[in-house]
Amino acid sequence: MKLPAQQLSLTLNTGDPIPQLGLGVFKVDDDECERVVLDALEVGYRHIDTAMIYRNEAAVGRAIARSGVARDELFVTTKLWNSDQGKDTTPDALATSLELLGLDYVDLYLIHWPAPLRDVYVETWLAMEDLYGQGLAKAIGVSNFEPDHLERILEAGSIVPAINQVELHPAFQQRKVRGFQEPLGIVTEAWGPLGQGKYELSELEGLEQIAQNHGKSIQQIVLRWHLQEGVVVFPKTVQKKRMVENLSVFDFELSSDDMAAIKAMDADKRVGTHPEDGNW
Ligand code: NAD
């Protein structure tokens, strides 16, 4: 895929590229989402992260159709909701998502949560492998999986997930999960890359100074840190001005001292749900 100048991509275990920075649309109402995604595509985003449970796939689809951006220049992710997990229900759920999105395939389909109390994620993974085989998802992966969940699908399945999308930000750096999955070639995606606004990034000691040194905002520093860590990010904003700000992170580099200082900000501070508890 051809990305606008300067933007970075990583290569998935499928051999296909993934734009390293995109837009997330969690909690963006269907009403507003078409405008938000159109704005994002206009200012240069080529990667959109949605999910069945966000209830805005139709709006994402309308924006894509109106944008005029070629399908093969876009990377679209959606996710399978917990109640749709299962051998027979997974294909139907993807068919519904594709219809809402107005697409023939998604670039990435994720199991949204392991939902361990339901205990059907292993058979769900096998169904995901079939969808990949049919070309309906160009890559398949998981979200919120801990190493023990990954181990079970690696043992039962024949495809290594391309992605594990997990909560990840400076105060919660997921070193254990990443240490497990990255040697297997599983790319890490960060959700809540800015901590979901649930704590003040400016409270992280030293971050403000790094931002001043580079003449960038704290948010831009955090996003740049993710990129240099080899992580995929899709910060959420509905404001066009912030979309431009968040995308303006390809024209500078953090030093190894900056990277080490941010690494030291890890405080094991989870702001979202623990994967064992996401059994809705
Ligand atoms: P985020 O860390 O992207 O934070 C979003 C908040 O940051 C919003 O309040 C926004 O107003 C603010 N913000 C964004 N840019 C800013 C800027 N430049 N300056 C100041 N404030 C700024 O949190 P998120 O939306 O939860 O995560 C990003 C995406 O990750 C979601 O939209 C969704 O696509 C995905 N996600 C996935 C899961 C999952 O379980 N897989 C869970 C949550 C989110």
Side-chain angles (χ1 to χ4, degrees), residues 36-48 60 63-64 67 69 74 243:
V36 167
V37 173
L38 263 175
D39 280 352
L41 296 175
E42 191 192 318
V43 302
Y45 285 76
R46 290 295 178 265
H47 172 176
I48 306 295
V60 171
I64 290 171
S67 72
V69 178
L74 276 177
M243 290 177 197

Side-chain angles (χ1 to χ4, degrees), residues 24 39 74 113 122 133 137 155 169 171 177 182 186 211 223 234 240 243 245 249 271:
D39 280 352
L74 276 177
W113 291 84
V122 175
E155 196 182 311
H169 40 86
V177 172
E182 287 169 3
I186 301 173
L223 295 173
F234 22 82
K240 198 172 182 181
M243 290 177 197
E245 175 185 337
V249 291
V271 300

Side-chain angles (χ1 to χ4, degrees), residues 119-212:
D119 199 18
V120 282
Y121 64 85
V122 175
E123 64 174 270
T124 301
W125 180 252
L126 301 181
M128 301 277 286
E129 291 189 348
D130 283 346
L131 297 173
Y132 173 73
Q134 291 168 45
L136 296 170
K138 299 288 180 197
I140 51 173
V142 295
S143 177
N144 299 300
F145 273 45
E146 294 285 307
D148 57 324
H149 307 131
L150 285 169
E151 264 166 0
R152 282 187 66 199
I153 60 169
L154 289 170
E155 196 182 311
S158 51
I159 297 177
V160 175
I163 291 281
N164 186 15
Q165 181 181 124
V166 293
E167 179 185 337
L168 170 51
H169 40 86
F172 191 65
Q173 299 187 14
Q174 295 274 20
R175 296 288 166 192
K176 186 172 136 244
V177 172
R178 291 165 64 193
F180 178 82
Q181 68 195 19
E182 287 169 3
L184 296 168
I186 301 173
V187 170
T188 302
E189 288 189 337
W191 67 252
L194 300 171
Q196 294 192 308
K198 289 186 178 163
Y199 62 93
E200 291 296 332
L201 293 170
S202 58
E203 283 169 9
L204 297 172
E205 212 182 315
L207 201 52
E208 189 89 60
Q209 188 59 52
I210 297 174
Q212 277 180 28

Side-chain angles (χ1 to χ4, degrees), residues 7-259:
Q7 288 194 34
L8 298 172
S9 64
L10 296 176
T11 303
L12 299 174
N13 63 6
T14 56
D16 286 331
I18 179 169
Q20 220 184 330
L21 195 145
L23 181 81
V25 292
F26 179 40
K27 293 194 173 162
V28 182
D29 287 344
D30 194 75
D31 293 357
E32 198 185 13
C33 193
E34 182 176 341
R35 191 273 303 162
V36 167
V37 173
L38 263 175
D39 280 352
L41 296 175
E42 191 192 318
V43 302
Y45 285 76
R46 290 295 178 265
H47 172 176
I48 306 295
D49 183 272
T50 183
M52 171 78 92
I53 198 68
Y54 301 169
R55 306 273 178 243
N56 56 22
E57 289 169 305
V60 171
R62 288 193 300 274
I64 290 171
R66 278 183 59 192
S67 72
V69 178
R71 177 68 186 94
D72 63 1
E73 292 188 10
L74 276 177
F75 193 99
V76 181
T77 298
T78 195
K79 313 184 193 88
L80 175 81
W81 187 240
N82 296 351
S83 53
D84 290 325
Q85 282 196 31
K87 183 169 155 288
D88 300 324
T89 39
T90 295
D92 292 344
L94 179 56
T96 302
S97 286
L98 288 174
E99 195 176 332
L100 289 168
L101 288 162
L103 299 177
D104 300 329
Y105 65 89
V106 286
D107 297 278
L108 177 63
Y109 197 39
L110 302 177
I111 301 180
H112 206 145
W113 291 84
L117 293 184
R118 292 176 180 266
D119 199 18
V120 282
Y121 64 85
V122 175
E123 64 174 270
T124 301
W125 180 252
L126 301 181
M128 301 277 286
E129 291 189 348
D130 283 346
L131 297 173
Y132 173 73
Q134 291 168 45
L136 296 170
K138 299 288 180 197
I140 51 173
V142 295
S143 177
N144 299 300
F145 273 45
E146 294 285 307
D148 57 324
H149 307 131
L150 285 169
E151 264 166 0
R152 282 187 66 199
I153 60 169
L154 289 170
E155 196 182 311
S158 51
I159 297 177
V160 175
I163 291 281
N164 186 15
Q165 181 181 124
V166 293
E167 179 185 337
L168 170 51
H169 40 86
F172 191 65
Q173 299 187 14
Q174 295 274 20
R175 296 288 166 192
K176 186 172 136 244
V177 172
R178 291 165 64 193
F180 178 82
Q181 68 195 19
E182 287 169 3
L184 296 168
I186 301 173
V187 170
T188 302
E189 288 189 337
W191 67 252
L194 300 171
Q196 294 192 308
K198 289 186 178 163
Y199 62 93
E200 291 296 332
L201 293 170
S202 58
E203 283 169 9
L204 297 172
E205 212 182 315
L207 201 52
E208 189 89 60
Q209 188 59 52
I210 297 174
Q212 277 180 28
N213 294 346
H214 290 278
K216 292 281 181 181
S217 70
I218 288 183
Q219 287 76 16
Q220 287 173 314
I221 296 296
V222 170
L223 295 173
R224 181 72 207 183
W225 167 76
H226 283 290
L227 298 181
Q228 288 184 215
E229 284 268 344
V231 167
V232 176
V233 274
F234 22 82
K236 175 227 162 179
T237 178
V238 296
Q239 297 177 32
K240 198 172 182 181
K241 197 171 130 260
R242 283 184 172 170
M243 290 177 197
V244 173
E245 175 185 337
N246 293 348
L247 198 59
S248 303
V249 291
F250 298 105
D251 57 353
F252 73 107
E253 204 166 326
L254 296 173
S255 69
S256 52
D257 283 352
D258 295 334
M259 293 296 289

